[in-house]
PDB file of all heavy atoms in Angstrom:
ATOM      1  N   TYR B  78      -0.125 -13.664  10.155  1.00 96.00           N
ATOM      2  CA  TYR B  78       0.410 -12.420   9.534  1.00 96.00           C
ATOM      3  C   TYR B  78       1.476 -12.762   8.545  1.00 96.00           C
ATOM      4  O   TYR B  78       1.498 -12.260   7.394  1.00 96.00           O
ATOM      5  CB  TYR B  78       0.930 -11.476  10.627  1.00 96.00           C
ATOM      6  CG  TYR B  78       1.756 -10.317  10.103  1.00 96.00           C
ATOM      7  CD1 TYR B  78       1.102  -9.203   9.555  1.00 96.00           C
ATOM      8  CD2 TYR B  78       3.139 -10.330  10.166  1.00 96.00           C
ATOM      9  CE1 TYR B  78       1.825  -8.167   9.062  1.00 96.00           C
ATOM     10  CE2 TYR B  78       3.878  -9.259   9.667  1.00 96.00           C
ATOM     11  CZ  TYR B  78       3.227  -8.180   9.134  1.00 96.00           C
ATOM     12  OH  TYR B  78       3.988  -7.150   8.680  1.00 96.00           O
ATOM     13  N   ASP B  79       2.413 -13.610   8.940  1.00 95.00           N
ATOM     14  CA  ASP B  79       3.504 -13.998   7.999  1.00 95.00           C
ATOM     15  C   ASP B  79       2.952 -14.736   6.802  1.00 95.00           C
ATOM     16  O   ASP B  79       3.372 -14.524   5.671  1.00 95.00           O
ATOM     17  CB  ASP B  79       4.562 -14.864   8.717  1.00 95.00           C
ATOM     18  CG  ASP B  79       5.402 -14.064   9.670  1.00 95.00           C
ATOM     19  OD1 ASP B  79       5.490 -12.861   9.512  1.00 95.00           O
ATOM     20  OD2 ASP B  79       5.934 -14.677  10.620  1.00 95.00           O
ATOM     21  N   ALA B  80       1.959 -15.596   7.064  1.00 95.00           N
ATOM     22  CA  ALA B  80       1.425 -16.447   5.996  1.00 95.00           C
ATOM     23  C   ALA B  80       0.669 -15.626   4.924  1.00 95.00           C
ATOM     24  O   ALA B  80       0.639 -16.043   3.789  1.00 95.00           O
ATOM     25  CB  ALA B  80       0.491 -17.504   6.585  1.00 95.00           C
ATOM     26  N   VAL B  81       0.139 -14.493   5.309  1.00 95.00           N
ATOM     27  CA  VAL B  81      -0.564 -13.690   4.283  1.00 95.00           C
ATOM     28  C   VAL B  81       0.431 -12.742   3.622  1.00 95.00           C
ATOM     29  O   VAL B  81       0.043 -11.836   2.862  1.00 95.00           O
ATOM     30  CB  VAL B  81      -1.776 -12.902   4.859  1.00 95.00           C
ATOM     31  CG1 VAL B  81      -2.811 -13.837   5.339  1.00 95.00           C
ATOM     32  CG2 VAL B  81      -1.322 -11.913   5.923  1.00 95.00           C
ATOM     33  N   GLY B  82       1.676 -12.915   3.893  1.00 92.00           N
ATOM     34  CA  GLY B  82       2.708 -12.135   3.181  1.00 92.00           C
ATOM     35  C   GLY B  82       3.361 -11.073   3.967  1.00 92.00           C
ATOM     36  O   GLY B  82       4.048 -10.195   3.390  1.00 92.00           O
ATOM     37  N   ALA B  83       3.177 -11.054   5.304  1.00 94.00           N
ATOM     38  CA  ALA B  83       3.772 -10.039   6.137  1.00 94.00           C
ATOM     39  C   ALA B  83       3.590  -8.654   5.568  1.00 94.00           C
ATOM     40  O   ALA B  83       4.592  -7.940   5.318  1.00 94.00           O
ATOM     41  CB  ALA B  83       5.257 -10.353   6.429  1.00 94.00           C
ATOM     42  N   PRO B  84       2.343  -8.233   5.322  1.00 94.00           N
ATOM     43  CA  PRO B  84       2.141  -6.969   4.682  1.00 94.00           C
ATOM     44  C   PRO B  84       2.664  -5.761   5.501  1.00 94.00           C
ATOM     45  O   PRO B  84       2.826  -5.875   6.724  1.00 94.00           O
ATOM     46  CB  PRO B  84       0.594  -6.859   4.494  1.00 94.00           C
ATOM     47  CG  PRO B  84       0.061  -7.787   5.518  1.00 94.00           C
ATOM     48  CD  PRO B  84       1.105  -8.857   5.706  1.00 94.00           C
ATOM     49  N   GLU B  85       2.952  -4.669   4.833  1.00 93.00           N
ATOM     50  CA  GLU B  85       3.366  -3.460   5.511  1.00 93.00           C
ATOM     51  C   GLU B  85       2.443  -3.137   6.657  1.00 93.00           C
ATOM     52  O   GLU B  85       1.219  -3.098   6.504  1.00 93.00           O
ATOM     53  CB  GLU B  85       3.444  -2.322   4.519  1.00 93.00           C
ATOM     54  CG  GLU B  85       3.806  -0.965   5.073  1.00 93.00           C
ATOM     55  CD  GLU B  85       5.115  -1.044   5.872  1.00 93.00           C
ATOM     56  OE1 GLU B  85       6.117  -1.535   5.281  1.00 93.00           O
ATOM     57  OE2 GLU B  85       5.139  -0.658   7.043  1.00 93.00           O
ATOM     58  N   VAL B  86       2.991  -2.849   7.818  1.00 96.00           N
ATOM     59  CA  VAL B  86       2.213  -2.545   9.009  1.00 96.00           C
ATOM     60  C   VAL B  86       1.681  -1.110   8.982  1.00 96.00           C
ATOM     61  O   VAL B  86       0.551  -0.872   9.359  1.00 96.00           O
ATOM     62  CB  VAL B  86       3.016  -2.825  10.295  1.00 96.00           C
ATOM     63  CG1 VAL B  86       2.344  -2.261  11.504  1.00 96.00           C
ATOM     64  CG2 VAL B  86       3.337  -4.280  10.436  1.00 96.00           C
ATOM     65  N   PHE B  87       2.538  -0.191   8.545  1.00 96.00           N
ATOM     66  CA  PHE B  87       2.222   1.232   8.752  1.00 96.00           C
ATOM     67  C   PHE B  87       1.755   1.893   7.495  1.00 96.00           C
ATOM     68  O   PHE B  87       2.205   1.605   6.366  1.00 96.00           O
ATOM     69  CB  PHE B  87       3.453   1.987   9.240  1.00 96.00           C
ATOM     70  CG  PHE B  87       3.845   1.563  10.655  1.00 96.00           C
ATOM     71  CD1 PHE B  87       4.961   0.818  10.896  1.00 96.00           C
ATOM     72  CD2 PHE B  87       2.995   1.930  11.712  1.00 96.00           C
ATOM     73  CE1 PHE B  87       5.286   0.443  12.191  1.00 96.00           C
ATOM     74  CE2 PHE B  87       3.340   1.531  13.001  1.00 96.00           C
ATOM     75  CZ  PHE B  87       4.510   0.818  13.263  1.00 96.00           C
TER      76      PHE B  87
END
Side-chain angles (χ1 to χ4, degrees):
Chain B
Y78 168 78
D79 287 337
V81 297
E85 177 54 52
V86 168
F87 293 109

